[in-house]
Amino acid sequence: MIRPSRPALAGALLAAALAHGPARADEAVTICYNYGCLVEAEARFSEAQLAEVAARLLRADSALAERAIVAQVLGQLYRWAGEQLPIGADRPGDYLDFGEHGTMDCIDHATSTTRLLTMLAERGLLRFHSVEPVRRRVRWLVTQHFSAVLRETHADAPEGGARFAVDTWFGEHGDPAVVLPLEDWLNGEGPNVS
């Protein structure tokens, strides 16, 4: 007897659940760009795209694994959004792409990433985390930076567990998010971009 591999079995179970579950329409998420959410436009994700994302996230067997997959999934969601919106012009940081239509500062990224994470949570795809409000860090009294935040969820900790910055601003458009403990992020950790 030939047994299917775990990923193949998980994919088959997901396909069966999607086939027998309630039909859903494509999902629209509002994405911010052109700095400070100056422009907002909807990116639409098809059920086939979201099924692909779901299959990846459902492989997570721990909070650590889920964060690693979330980082990758966010990059994919941004790539798909960049096929519809001018955000494909976005570069790391704030100055490599200055003046280009479709660029995103940390406010755009934090707001849009929080919206994407909320979509995933509302679809039941975040099993080890909850989405928290955007956080801001201030350094040297004049520089500030914003990030989306996830909190680990634990049955034995009603207030939840550790919190993590989920920051898509650091990389090229569509790169995986940088995920690190919130306290480290608040203390200035993260890749150095110009």
Side-chain angles (χ1 to χ4, degrees):
M1 178 167 128
I2 299 174
R3 292 183 181 214
S5 67
R6 281 186 96 176
L9 182 59
L13 291 173
L14 176 65
L18 290 173
H20 297 331
R24 292 183 121 165
D26 293 353
E27 185 101 26
V29 176
T30 303
I31 303 294
C32 292
Y33 57 94
N34 283 355
Y35 286 32
C37 283
L38 182 64
V39 177
E40 295 183 282
E42 284 188 351
R44 297 196 76 75
F45 303 101
S46 71
E47 278 306 309
Q49 290 170 324
L50 295 171
E52 178 184 323
V53 164
R56 292 171 71 183
L57 283 165
L58 292 175
R59 289 186 200 129
D61 59 359
S62 67
L64 178 64
E66 187 170 81
R67 287 192 300 277
I69 296 169
V70 161
Q72 298 290 325
V73 161
L74 286 169
Q76 180 63 65
L77 290 170
Y78 272 106
R79 286 191 298 278
W80 287 329
E83 293 170 3
Q84 306 165 53
L85 305 173
I87 63 171
D90 189 44
R91 301 287 315 280
D94 287 337
Y95 304 110
L96 295 175
D97 54 12
F98 191 74
E100 294 290 323
H101 181 60
T103 59
M104 302 173 74
D105 67 1
C106 62
I107 295 169
D108 297 321
H109 275 283
T111 303
S112 299
T113 300
T114 299
R115 290 172 179 169
L116 291 168
L117 291 169
T118 300
M119 173 193 67
L120 297 175
E122 287 174 351
R123 293 175 81 83
L125 300 177
L126 298 182
R127 296 174 297 134
F128 298 96
H129 295 89
S130 61
V131 181
E132 294 217 331
V134 169
R135 287 294 302 264
R136 176 180 73 140
R137 72 179 183 200
V138 178
R139 301 192 60 202
W140 302 300
L141 300 176
V142 294
T143 60
Q144 61 182 350
H145 185 63
F146 296 82
S147 180
V149 177
L150 287 177
R151 181 188 287 268
E152 284 185 353
T153 53
H154 300 285
D156 59 343
E159 295 300 314
R163 292 178 298 167
F164 295 85
V166 181
D167 201 330
T168 55
W169 175 82
F170 291 113
E172 293 287 347
H173 172 74
D175 279 355
V178 171
V179 180
L180 62 156
L182 182 61
E183 288 305 315
D184 293 347
W185 179 86
L186 288 170
N187 287 327
E189 293 293 322
N192 186 17
V193 295
S194 57

